């Protein structure tokens, strides 16, 4: 029985998705340096050569994960939201997709300089905070750079500091209940900061 071209395409897309899902799990568990292509292939149930074929290797697969996170991010990170709403969205996204948050934490643990694209993105974030400050959403006494670092720590708390969340809240940091409760508190905290 001959397979139609669209069946082959669907199989290829399903295989790529299995590889991506396995990569998210492997990179989240071990970081970029610790993840092995063979382990990702085993998790996905595919031959490891398919990772090179579809993604050009480990680095290309990691870039694909970054691209998928950016696509997810565009769905909730509306810059017209208040700062509190924006950061609360990141809290919820990290709870819903903790593996992506862990990728960022692992990235921070790697030795060396960050990628230039990442640096440029962070500098744009600082400038956006500077503009919010100019509009009165942040007190003029705060450095936007310090605020950005604090916001990342707040948004990633459930992923980066699960032991603190469990000790303080007595809840699972990956639970939707914690995410909603904590997101509401982050939003209120940043609202209070804006109110002065």
């Amino acid at each position: 029985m001959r397979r139609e071209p669209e069946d082959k395409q669907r199989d290829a897309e399903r295989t790529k998705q299995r590889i991506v899902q396995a990569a998210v799990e492997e990179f989240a568990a071990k970081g970029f340096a610790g993840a092995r292509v063979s382990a990702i292939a085993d998790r996905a149930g595919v031959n490891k050569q398919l990772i090179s074929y579809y993604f050009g290797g480990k680095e290309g697969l990691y870039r694909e994960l970054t691209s998928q996170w950016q696509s997810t991010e565009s769905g909730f990170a509306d810059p017209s939201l208040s700062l509190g709403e924006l950061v609360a969205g990141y809290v919820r996204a990290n709870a819903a997709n903790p593996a992506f948050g862990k990728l960022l934490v692992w990235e921070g643990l790697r030795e060396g300089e960050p990628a230039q694209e990442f640096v440029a993105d962070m500098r744009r974030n600082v400038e956006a905070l500077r503009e919010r400050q100019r509009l009165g959403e942040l007190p003029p006494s705060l450095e936007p750079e310090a605020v950005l670092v604090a916001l990342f720590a707040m948004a990633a708390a459930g992923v980066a500091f699960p032991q603190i969340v469990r000790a303080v809240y007595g809840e699972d940091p990956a639970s939707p209940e914690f995410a909603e409760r904590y997101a509401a508190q982050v939003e209120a905290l940043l609202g209070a900061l804006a109110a002065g």
Side-chain angles (χ1 to χ4, degrees):
M1 183 169 162
R2 197 171 137 236
R3 291 176 52 188
E4 297 298 319
E6 39 301 328
D7 289 340
K8 289 180 183 179
Q9 181 63 31
R10 278 194 296 270
D11 283 349
E13 288 305 313
R14 281 193 292 266
T15 299
K16 285 200 268 190
Q17 273 311 111
R18 284 200 331 264
I19 292 169
V20 166
Q21 185 56 45
V24 167
E25 294 166 9
E26 188 70 13
F27 285 129
K30 298 179 181 168
F32 181 83
R36 299 286 172 253
V37 170
S38 58
I40 294 168
D42 289 347
R43 278 183 189 250
V46 300
N47 185 308
K48 72 179 185 178
Q49 281 78 17
L50 285 176
I51 293 172
S52 291
Y53 178 75
Y54 288 129
F55 303 102
K58 184 176 168 180
E59 291 82 5
L61 183 53
Y62 195 81
R63 280 192 302 276
E64 174 63 23
L65 299 183
T66 301
S67 174
Q68 286 197 10
W69 168 252
Q70 289 168 341
S71 177
T72 299
E73 184 180 37
S74 69
F76 67 84
D78 181 350
S80 69
L81 295 172
S82 73
L83 191 55
E85 292 169 319
L86 187 62
V87 178
Y90 279 97
V91 168
R92 291 181 185 101
N94 277 326
N97 303 291
F100 282 114
K102 288 179 183 178
L103 293 177
L104 184 62
V105 172
W106 274 109
E107 189 71 27
L109 296 174
R110 281 191 353 181
E111 300 273 333
E113 293 298 313
Q116 287 304 309
E117 183 179 314
F118 180 77
V119 171
D121 191 38
M122 291 300 105
R123 291 191 177 146
R124 281 189 296 275
N125 288 337
V126 168
E127 289 310 311
L129 285 175
R130 203 175 306 286
E131 178 61 16
R132 286 178 182 270
Q133 189 174 46
R134 191 185 69 68
L135 296 171
E137 197 172 357
L138 290 171
S141 61
L142 297 178
E143 293 180 3
E145 296 85 352
V147 172
L148 183 62
V149 172
L151 295 178
F152 267 91
M154 275 194 261
V159 172
F161 309 111
Q163 74 283 19
I164 294 172
V165 170
R166 286 186 188 96
V168 172
Y169 278 92
E171 294 182 41
D172 177 3
S175 73
E177 296 79 18
F178 167 74
E180 281 308 313
R181 183 177 172 191
Y182 181 62
Q185 288 300 297
V186 166
E187 189 172 343
L189 176 77
L190 293 171
L193 185 64

